[in-house]
Amino acid sequence: MTKLTILAAAAAAAFAGQAVAQESWTMTTTWPSSLELIETDKHFVDLANKLTQGELTIEFFEGGSLVPAGEVFGAVESGTVQAGADWPGYWAGRDAAFSALATTPSLFNAVDYANWIQQWGGAEIYNEIYGQFGMVYLPYGITNNESGFRTREPIRNLADLQGKRLRLSGLEQGKLLERLGGNQVSMAGGEIYQSLERGVIDGAEFSTPNVDWSGGFQQVTKYWATPGWHQSASVFGVMINKDSWDALSEETREKLQIAADATMMWSLAFTEKRATEAYAKFDEAVEINRYDDETLAKVQEMANEVIVEVACENPNSAKVYVSMLEYLDDYSQWRDASAPFNLGRTPNGPDVQAIKDCM
């Protein structure tokens, strides 16, 4: 074999290797372009494409453009699309554990989710639960606690909640609201505005102040009850079809993980800045009421009961909550010692042993 032939063969092999390494993914989301939640998805896709240039190209489509929002999970599971951005709580009907992977009532704040995911085993639990449906999951978005209820009449205490029909998302959240005297109404985010406008519901929660402002809720409500005890923080991320993930090189998978970790940090700062700006706008548009400490203590007490109840009904939920509560206990030693110069509060949450006893 001549030297020229050897070089030609080597070049052909290198070209073939590059062709195999290059992948093209279709990714969609549950969010329409009109809601700011989609900005976190866009940030991840942009960063991932930059980091994996020449290895992977992700083409991103806004929510509803390929499949309805509620069908994104199934589209990724079946491989119809390679990736789909989500809020895990939408899939609680598949497994109740998705609820706690998305948010908690009066428990985790944004820093708690970040700590737990990154260093206390949370990432492995996400992949264990999503893995049961043939997916890999990369958490890449965290927001701090949600706004709270936006209502047609003021809600200043638990007495004002009695009998109110409130749009509320979440398994534990619905159980908690009912114990507090309200009635959960489930509906898609796109239906909230008209339902408030027509008086179909008495109030609604949706997301952080900036997202709520983008939804126009200040136009159809007069009052805002804070804080959002129903969702003390929220997690967002991307579902990836396992076969598509496995087809990537180890180096490309690592770059996607780096993009997810970087986006997570960005998402918290971005949404807190935008929420601050939106709060100022709401302060001029509606009346803002804050629950007193006694009310919040009662909410915490009932939230603890609901968490134990839900955990004891589902082994996966129990596993998630035990891991979360063990993290809180472990971190509390340093967090409490460093108060008030620390990262949030150590909640007076449920007894982890009560959940372990029913596992």
Side-chain angles (χ1 to χ4, degrees), residues 18 20-25 27 43-59 138 240 245 248-260:
Q18 289 178 355
V20 170
Q22 291 176 347
E23 295 283 344
S24 180
W25 281 6
M27 175 175 165
H43 191 275
F44 167 76
V45 172
D46 181 59
L47 187 54
N49 279 333
K50 288 177 180 177
L51 290 174
T52 64
Q53 194 170 28
E55 305 164 27
L56 173 67
T57 299
I58 302 175
E59 187 175 7
L138 299 181
I240 301 172
W245 176 263
L248 300 176
S249 69
E250 183 177 349
E251 182 180 1
T252 302
R253 293 198 295 264
E254 184 177 359
K255 289 176 180 178
L256 290 180
Q257 183 65 65
I258 292 170

Side-chain angles (χ1 to χ4, degrees), residues 101 113-131 135-139 235 257 261 264 323:
L101 295 179
Y113 267 117
N115 286 346
W116 179 64
I117 289 169
Q118 293 284 341
Q119 295 293 328
W120 269 269
E124 290 76 13
I125 290 182
Y126 279 88
N127 277 297
E128 180 178 339
I129 303 301
Y130 276 94
M135 300 184 211
V136 169
Y137 194 74
L138 299 181
V235 173
Q257 183 65 65
D261 292 344
M264 182 182 293
S323 179

Side-chain angles (χ1 to χ4, degrees), residues 82-96:
Q82 288 76 37
D86 78 336
W87 178 70
Y90 286 146
W91 325 126
R94 299 285 193 119
D95 191 309

Side-chain angles (χ1 to χ4, degrees), residues 123-282:
E124 290 76 13
I125 290 182
Y126 279 88
N127 277 297
E128 180 178 339
I129 303 301
Y130 276 94
Q132 295 174 7
F133 299 90
M135 300 184 211
V136 169
Y137 194 74
L138 299 181
Y140 62 48
I142 298 178
T143 60
N144 222 352
N145 81 293
E146 297 209 339
S147 301
F149 290 114
R150 304 194 178 280
T151 57
R152 299 158 60 86
E153 297 178 355
I155 296 179
R156 301 185 176 94
N157 49 50
L158 296 183
D160 292 335
L161 275 176
Q162 304 307 304
K164 291 289 193 301
R165 298 162 298 160
L166 301 169
R167 185 275 180 185
L168 181 67
S169 180
L171 175 62
E172 291 91 331
Q173 289 70 22
K175 290 178 177 288
L176 177 55
L177 177 62
E178 290 175 3
R179 292 196 182 193
L180 294 171
N183 299 306
Q184 181 183 29
V185 179
S186 298
M187 66 176 62
E191 301 174 15
I192 297 175
Y193 184 98
Q194 287 190 336
S195 296
L196 287 168
E197 185 178 37
R198 297 173 179 175
V200 176
I201 53 177
D202 299 308
E205 61 76 38
F206 187 58
S207 189
T208 50
N210 51 306
V211 177
D212 285 2
W213 186 270
S214 71
F217 301 141
Q218 70 280 1
Q219 300 167 8
V220 288
T221 59
K222 295 181 179 180
Y223 303 95
W224 173 11
T226 68
W229 46 260
H230 62 292
Q231 289 183 218
S232 48
S234 290
V235 173
F236 308 85
V238 59
M239 304 174 284
I240 301 172
N241 180 273
K242 183 66 163 55
D243 291 338
S244 299
W245 176 263
D246 289 343
L248 300 176
S249 69
E250 183 177 349
E251 182 180 1
T252 302
R253 293 198 295 264
E254 184 177 359
K255 289 176 180 178
L256 290 180
Q257 183 65 65
I258 292 170
D261 292 344
T263 300
M264 182 182 293
M265 179 63 187
W266 174 87
S267 70
L268 179 55
F270 172 77
T271 56
E272 285 297 89
K273 177 64 162 60
R274 295 289 290 143
T276 299
E277 295 168 346
Y279 182 92
K281 295 178 183 177
F282 271 113

